[in-house]
Amino acid sequence: MSAAAGNPAGGAGSRGRAARRIVPGLLLVLLALTGPWLAAHPLDTPVTAPYAAAGDGAVLGGDQLGRDVLSRLLHGGAALIGGALLIAVVVTLLATVLGCFAVLHPTLGRAVERAADVLILLPPVLGIMLIALAWPGGGRWAVIAAAVVLGTPYAVRLVASAAAPLARAGYVEAATARGERLSYIALRELLPNLRSTVLALFGLRFVEAVYVISMAGFLQIGPQPPAADWALMVRENAPGVLLNPWAVLAPSLAIAVLAISFNLASASLSSRPPRRPRPSRSFRKAVTTP
Protein backbone atom coordinates (compact mmCIF):
# COMPACT_ATOMS: atom_id res chain seq x y z
CA MET A 1 0.00 0.00 0.00
CA SER A 2 1.36 3.40 -0.96
CA ALA A 3 1.76 6.21 1.54
CA ALA A 4 -0.94 8.24 -0.17
CA ALA A 5 -3.37 5.34 -0.02
CA GLY A 6 -2.68 4.77 3.67
CA ASN A 7 -3.01 8.45 4.59
CA PRO A 8 -6.29 10.10 3.47
CA ALA A 9 -4.86 13.59 4.03
CA GLY A 10 -1.84 12.69 1.93
CA GLY A 11 -4.09 11.34 -0.82
CA ALA A 12 -6.17 14.54 -0.82
CA GLY A 13 -2.97 16.60 -0.95
CA SER A 14 -1.70 14.56 -3.88
CA ARG A 15 -4.96 15.03 -5.74
CA GLY A 16 -4.82 18.77 -4.97
CA ARG A 17 -1.31 19.06 -6.39
CA ALA A 18 -2.37 17.11 -9.48
CA ALA A 19 -5.38 19.40 -9.96
CA ARG A 20 -3.19 22.52 -9.63
CA ARG A 21 -0.95 21.16 -12.39
CA ILE A 22 -3.80 20.20 -14.72
CA VAL A 23 -6.07 23.24 -14.30
CA PRO A 24 -3.74 25.80 -16.02
CA GLY A 25 -3.60 23.68 -19.16
CA LEU A 26 -7.37 23.26 -19.21
CA LEU A 27 -7.93 26.99 -18.73
CA LEU A 28 -5.54 27.76 -21.58
CA VAL A 29 -7.40 25.33 -23.85
CA LEU A 30 -10.71 26.98 -22.88
CA LEU A 31 -9.26 30.43 -23.61
CA ALA A 32 -7.96 29.29 -26.99
CA LEU A 33 -11.30 27.75 -27.96
CA THR A 34 -13.27 30.86 -26.99
CA GLY A 35 -10.60 33.28 -28.26
CA PRO A 36 -12.25 34.11 -31.62
CA TRP A 37 -15.36 35.32 -29.77
CA LEU A 38 -13.28 37.38 -27.31
CA ALA A 39 -11.17 39.14 -29.96
CA ALA A 40 -11.89 42.86 -30.25
CA HIS A 41 -10.92 43.15 -33.92
CA PRO A 42 -11.22 40.99 -37.08
CA LEU A 43 -8.41 38.63 -37.95
CA ASP A 44 -6.91 40.41 -40.97
CA THR A 45 -8.09 44.03 -40.70
CA PRO A 46 -5.44 46.71 -39.99
CA VAL A 47 -6.43 48.81 -36.98
CA THR A 48 -3.22 50.73 -36.34
CA ALA A 49 0.17 51.53 -37.88
CA PRO A 50 2.61 48.70 -38.73
CA TYR A 51 4.56 47.65 -35.65
CA ALA A 52 2.72 50.25 -33.58
CA ALA A 53 3.51 50.16 -29.87
CA ALA A 54 0.96 48.88 -27.35
CA GLY A 55 -1.97 51.20 -26.69
CA ASP A 56 -4.37 53.31 -28.71
CA GLY A 57 -6.94 50.58 -29.26
CA ALA A 58 -4.43 47.73 -29.65
CA VAL A 59 -3.49 46.32 -26.22
CA LEU A 60 -0.42 44.50 -27.56
CA GLY A 61 0.20 46.88 -30.47
CA GLY A 62 0.18 46.12 -34.19
CA ASP A 63 1.94 43.55 -36.35
CA GLN A 64 3.78 44.08 -39.64
CA LEU A 65 0.52 45.09 -41.37
CA GLY A 66 -0.98 47.04 -38.47
CA ARG A 67 -3.33 44.25 -37.38
CA ASP A 68 -4.18 43.87 -33.69
CA VAL A 69 -1.67 41.42 -32.15
CA LEU A 70 -3.99 40.43 -29.29
CA SER A 71 -6.88 39.64 -31.63
CA ARG A 72 -4.67 37.50 -33.86
CA LEU A 73 -3.28 35.80 -30.76
CA LEU A 74 -6.80 34.89 -29.63
CA HIS A 75 -7.67 33.58 -33.11
CA GLY A 76 -4.51 31.47 -33.46
CA GLY A 77 -4.71 29.17 -30.47
CA ALA A 78 -7.62 26.91 -31.47
CA ALA A 79 -5.95 25.58 -34.64
CA LEU A 80 -2.68 24.82 -32.84
CA ILE A 81 -4.31 23.10 -29.87
CA GLY A 82 -6.79 21.23 -32.10
CA GLY A 83 -3.99 19.93 -34.31
CA ALA A 84 -1.88 18.92 -31.32
CA LEU A 85 -4.85 17.14 -29.70
CA LEU A 86 -5.59 15.27 -32.93
CA ILE A 87 -1.97 14.15 -33.23
CA ALA A 88 -1.80 13.10 -29.58
CA VAL A 89 -5.05 11.10 -29.79
CA VAL A 90 -4.14 9.30 -33.03
CA VAL A 91 -0.54 8.54 -32.00
CA THR A 92 -1.57 7.33 -28.53
CA LEU A 93 -4.36 5.15 -29.94
CA LEU A 94 -2.15 3.59 -32.63
CA ALA A 95 0.74 3.08 -30.22
CA THR A 96 -1.49 1.46 -27.59
CA VAL A 97 -3.05 -0.99 -30.01
CA LEU A 98 0.17 -1.86 -31.84
CA GLY A 99 2.21 -2.03 -28.61
CA CYS A 100 -0.23 -4.45 -26.95
CA PHE A 101 -0.46 -6.69 -30.00
CA ALA A 102 3.31 -6.58 -30.54
CA VAL A 103 4.08 -8.15 -27.14
CA LEU A 104 1.49 -10.90 -27.72
CA HIS A 105 2.42 -11.80 -31.32
CA PRO A 106 6.20 -12.33 -31.79
CA THR A 107 6.14 -11.94 -35.59
CA LEU A 108 4.18 -8.68 -35.40
CA GLY A 109 6.46 -7.54 -32.58
CA ARG A 110 9.61 -8.04 -34.67
CA ALA A 111 8.05 -6.23 -37.66
CA VAL A 112 6.99 -3.28 -35.48
CA GLU A 113 10.42 -3.15 -33.87
CA ARG A 114 12.25 -3.08 -37.24
CA ALA A 115 9.92 -0.40 -38.66
CA ALA A 116 10.25 1.69 -35.51
CA ASP A 117 14.05 1.48 -35.60
CA VAL A 118 14.09 2.82 -39.18
CA LEU A 119 11.58 5.65 -38.64
CA ILE A 120 13.13 6.77 -35.34
CA LEU A 121 16.42 7.42 -37.17
CA LEU A 122 14.69 9.86 -39.58
CA PRO A 123 15.14 13.47 -38.34
CA PRO A 124 11.71 15.07 -37.70
CA VAL A 125 12.47 18.20 -39.73
CA LEU A 126 13.55 16.12 -42.74
CA GLY A 127 10.46 13.91 -42.44
CA ILE A 128 8.13 16.93 -42.29
CA MET A 129 9.80 18.52 -45.32
CA LEU A 130 9.56 15.26 -47.32
CA ILE A 131 5.85 14.85 -46.59
CA ALA A 132 5.21 18.54 -47.30
CA LEU A 133 6.97 18.20 -50.67
CA ALA A 134 5.01 15.05 -51.50
CA TRP A 135 1.74 16.79 -50.50
CA PRO A 136 2.16 20.43 -51.65
CA GLY A 137 -1.43 21.48 -50.95
CA GLY A 138 -1.70 19.63 -47.67
CA GLY A 139 -1.06 22.65 -45.48
CA ARG A 140 -1.70 21.96 -41.81
CA TRP A 141 -2.96 18.42 -42.60
CA ALA A 142 0.42 17.53 -44.13
CA VAL A 143 2.12 18.57 -40.89
CA ILE A 144 -0.36 16.52 -38.85
CA ALA A 145 0.23 13.47 -41.07
CA ALA A 146 3.99 13.87 -40.72
CA ALA A 147 3.75 14.18 -36.94
CA VAL A 148 1.63 11.02 -36.73
CA VAL A 149 3.94 9.00 -38.99
CA LEU A 150 7.10 10.15 -37.21
CA GLY A 151 5.73 10.06 -33.67
CA THR A 152 4.01 6.66 -33.66
CA PRO A 153 7.11 4.37 -33.79
CA TYR A 154 8.68 5.79 -30.64
CA ALA A 155 5.33 5.68 -28.83
CA VAL A 156 4.84 2.03 -29.86
CA ARG A 157 8.21 1.15 -28.35
CA LEU A 158 7.20 2.82 -25.07
CA VAL A 159 3.88 0.97 -24.84
CA ALA A 160 5.47 -2.35 -25.79
CA SER A 161 8.13 -1.88 -23.09
CA ALA A 162 5.45 -1.24 -20.46
CA ALA A 163 3.26 -4.14 -21.67
CA ALA A 164 6.05 -6.74 -21.91
CA PRO A 165 6.13 -7.60 -18.14
CA LEU A 166 2.32 -7.81 -18.08
CA ALA A 167 2.33 -10.22 -21.04
CA ARG A 168 4.28 -12.68 -18.87
CA ALA A 169 1.81 -12.45 -15.96
CA GLY A 170 -0.08 -15.55 -14.90
CA TYR A 171 -3.53 -14.25 -15.78
CA VAL A 172 -2.39 -13.44 -19.34
CA GLU A 173 -0.88 -16.91 -19.72
CA ALA A 174 -4.13 -18.37 -18.35
CA ALA A 175 -6.16 -16.40 -20.90
CA THR A 176 -3.85 -17.66 -23.66
CA ALA A 177 -4.27 -21.23 -22.40
CA ARG A 178 -8.06 -20.80 -22.48
CA GLY A 179 -7.77 -19.99 -26.18
CA GLU A 180 -8.83 -16.36 -25.90
CA ARG A 181 -8.31 -14.19 -28.96
CA LEU A 182 -5.43 -11.71 -29.09
CA SER A 183 -7.86 -8.81 -29.26
CA TYR A 184 -9.54 -9.98 -26.05
CA ILE A 185 -6.22 -10.40 -24.22
CA ALA A 186 -4.92 -7.04 -25.46
CA LEU A 187 -8.05 -5.04 -24.66
CA ARG A 188 -9.33 -6.84 -21.55
CA GLU A 189 -6.17 -8.12 -19.85
CA LEU A 190 -3.36 -5.71 -20.83
CA LEU A 191 -4.94 -2.35 -21.58
CA PRO A 192 -6.66 -1.79 -18.18
CA ASN A 193 -3.27 -2.19 -16.48
CA LEU A 194 -1.60 0.31 -18.83
CA ARG A 195 -3.86 3.23 -17.99
CA SER A 196 -1.17 5.35 -16.28
CA THR A 197 1.30 4.71 -19.09
CA VAL A 198 -1.24 5.62 -21.76
CA LEU A 199 -2.29 8.83 -19.97
CA ALA A 200 1.32 9.93 -19.53
CA LEU A 201 2.06 9.07 -23.16
CA PHE A 202 -0.91 11.17 -24.31
CA GLY A 203 0.44 14.20 -22.44
CA LEU A 204 3.95 13.78 -23.81
CA ARG A 205 2.65 13.33 -27.36
CA PHE A 206 0.61 16.53 -27.03
CA VAL A 207 3.67 18.54 -25.98
CA GLU A 208 5.71 17.01 -28.80
CA ALA A 209 2.92 17.84 -31.27
CA VAL A 210 2.91 21.48 -30.13
CA TYR A 211 6.64 21.70 -30.84
CA VAL A 212 6.31 19.98 -34.25
CA ILE A 213 3.42 22.18 -35.42
CA SER A 214 5.15 25.33 -34.13
CA MET A 215 8.40 24.40 -35.84
CA ALA A 216 6.58 23.72 -39.10
CA GLY A 217 4.73 27.02 -38.82
CA PHE A 218 7.97 28.91 -38.23
CA LEU A 219 9.40 27.26 -41.37
CA GLN A 220 6.16 28.18 -43.23
CA ILE A 221 5.36 24.50 -43.77
CA GLY A 222 1.66 24.14 -43.13
CA PRO A 223 -0.34 27.29 -42.29
CA GLN A 224 0.24 30.18 -44.69
CA PRO A 225 -0.43 33.94 -44.39
CA PRO A 226 -2.78 35.51 -43.43
CA ALA A 227 -3.49 32.65 -40.97
CA ALA A 228 -3.12 33.68 -37.32
CA ASP A 229 -0.81 30.81 -36.41
CA TRP A 230 1.31 31.56 -33.33
CA ALA A 231 4.58 30.27 -34.85
CA LEU A 232 3.82 32.07 -38.12
CA MET A 233 3.27 35.29 -36.13
CA VAL A 234 6.75 34.95 -34.62
CA ARG A 235 8.33 34.56 -38.04
CA GLU A 236 6.35 37.37 -39.69
CA ASN A 237 6.97 39.92 -36.95
CA ALA A 238 10.62 39.14 -36.22
CA PRO A 239 11.90 42.04 -38.41
CA GLY A 240 9.99 44.54 -36.22
CA VAL A 241 10.80 43.09 -32.82
CA LEU A 242 12.56 46.30 -31.73
CA LEU A 243 9.55 48.45 -32.69
CA ASN A 244 6.87 46.29 -31.05
CA PRO A 245 8.37 43.40 -29.02
CA TRP A 246 4.90 42.12 -28.08
CA ALA A 247 4.26 41.05 -31.67
CA VAL A 248 6.96 38.38 -31.17
CA LEU A 249 6.92 37.87 -27.39
CA ALA A 250 3.16 37.28 -27.07
CA PRO A 251 2.90 34.28 -29.46
CA SER A 252 6.23 32.92 -28.18
CA LEU A 253 5.02 33.05 -24.58
CA ALA A 254 1.69 31.49 -25.59
CA ILE A 255 3.49 28.48 -27.14
CA ALA A 256 5.79 28.15 -24.13
CA VAL A 257 2.96 28.39 -21.57
CA LEU A 258 0.90 25.84 -23.52
CA ALA A 259 3.79 23.35 -23.64
CA ILE A 260 4.77 23.88 -19.98
CA SER A 261 1.16 23.56 -18.76
CA PHE A 262 0.63 20.24 -20.50
CA ASN A 263 4.11 19.06 -19.52
CA LEU A 264 3.22 19.65 -15.86
CA ALA A 265 -0.09 17.83 -16.31
CA SER A 266 1.70 14.93 -17.98
CA ALA A 267 4.28 14.79 -15.19
CA SER A 268 1.47 14.78 -12.63
CA LEU A 269 -0.21 11.80 -14.32
CA SER A 270 3.02 9.85 -14.76
CA SER A 271 4.16 10.44 -11.15
CA ARG A 272 1.08 8.80 -9.65
CA PRO A 273 1.93 5.49 -7.90
CA PRO A 274 1.47 2.53 -10.27
CA ARG A 275 -1.42 0.24 -9.64
CA ARG A 276 -0.92 -3.45 -9.07
CA PRO A 277 -1.69 -5.45 -12.22
CA ARG A 278 -5.28 -6.65 -12.07
CA PRO A 279 -6.58 -9.69 -13.93
CA SER A 280 -9.89 -9.47 -15.74
CA ARG A 281 -13.20 -10.43 -14.16
CA SER A 282 -13.36 -13.64 -16.18
CA PHE A 283 -10.00 -14.78 -14.75
CA ARG A 284 -11.02 -13.95 -11.17
CA LYS A 285 -14.31 -15.80 -11.67
CA ALA A 286 -12.49 -18.86 -13.08
CA VAL A 287 -10.10 -18.90 -10.11
CA THR A 288 -12.77 -18.51 -7.42
CA THR A 289 -15.35 -20.89 -8.97
CA PRO A 290 -14.86 -24.50 -7.66
Side-chain angles (χ1 to χ4, degrees):
M1 179 180 296
S2 65
N7 184 1
S14 177
R15 289 191 292 271
R17 287 192 295 273
R20 287 195 294 272
R21 291 183 174 185
I22 294 173
V23 166
L26 294 178
L27 291 178
L28 191 58
V29 170
L30 182 62
L31 178 62
L33 294 178
T34 58
W37 289 275
L38 301 176
H41 301 286
L43 177 66
D44 53 357
T45 301
V47 297
T48 185
Y51 297 124
D56 296 334
V59 176
L60 297 179
D63 66 356
Q64 85 277 20
L65 297 179
R67 298 168 296 191
D68 182 27
V69 170
L70 179 59
S71 297
R72 290 180 60 78
L73 191 71
L74 292 172
H75 276 92
L80 174 62
I81 294 176
L85 280 176
L86 179 60
I87 293 171
V89 169
V90 174
V91 170
T92 303
L93 182 62
L94 289 175
T96 302
V97 173
L98 291 176
C100 289
F101 278 90
V103 298
L104 297 174
H105 197 291
T107 302
L108 177 61
R110 286 192 293 272
V112 169
E113 184 178 0
R114 300 294 183 272
D117 290 341
V118 173
L119 290 176
I120 286 175
L121 294 176
L122 183 65
V125 176
L126 179 59
I128 292 173
M129 294 181 70
L130 289 175
I131 293 180
L133 289 174
W135 189 4
R140 192 181 297 274
W141 289 107
V143 177
I144 292 175
V148 170
V149 172
L150 298 173
T152 301
Y154 180 72
V156 171
R157 296 293 294 269
L158 287 179
V159 175
S161 299
L166 299 175
R168 296 189 292 271
Y171 58 90
V172 175
E173 294 179 350
T176 304
R178 293 199 308 271
E180 300 288 358
R181 293 176 299 176
L182 287 182
S183 59
Y184 175 88
I185 299 175
L187 299 178
R188 299 294 298 273
E189 303 287 359
L190 292 181
L191 187 57
N193 296 309
L194 292 172
R195 185 174 60 181
S196 297
T197 301
V198 172
L199 289 175
L201 177 64
F202 174 77
L204 293 174
R205 288 297 95 192
F206 180 87
V207 175
E208 178 70 19
V210 169
Y211 284 128
V212 168
I213 295 176
S214 299
M215 178 182 63
F218 187 79
L219 297 175
Q220 288 191 330
I221 302 173
Q224 300 295 323
D229 183 86
W230 288 350
L232 192 59
M233 290 174 64
V234 175
R235 179 185 177 91
E236 290 177 339
N237 296 310
V241 66
L242 296 179
L243 298 174
N244 181 20
W246 285 113
V248 175
L249 289 178
S252 301
L253 290 174
I255 294 173
V257 170
L258 177 65
I260 292 173
S261 299
F262 272 83
N263 197 18
L264 289 175
S266 174
S268 175
L269 293 175
S270 61
S271 63
R272 297 182 65 179
R275 295 189 173 188
R276 296 179 58 186
R278 297 184 57 189
S280 64
R281 292 183 178 178
S282 61
F283 175 78
R284 294 197 295 270
K285 183 178 180 181
V287 170
T288 56
T289 301

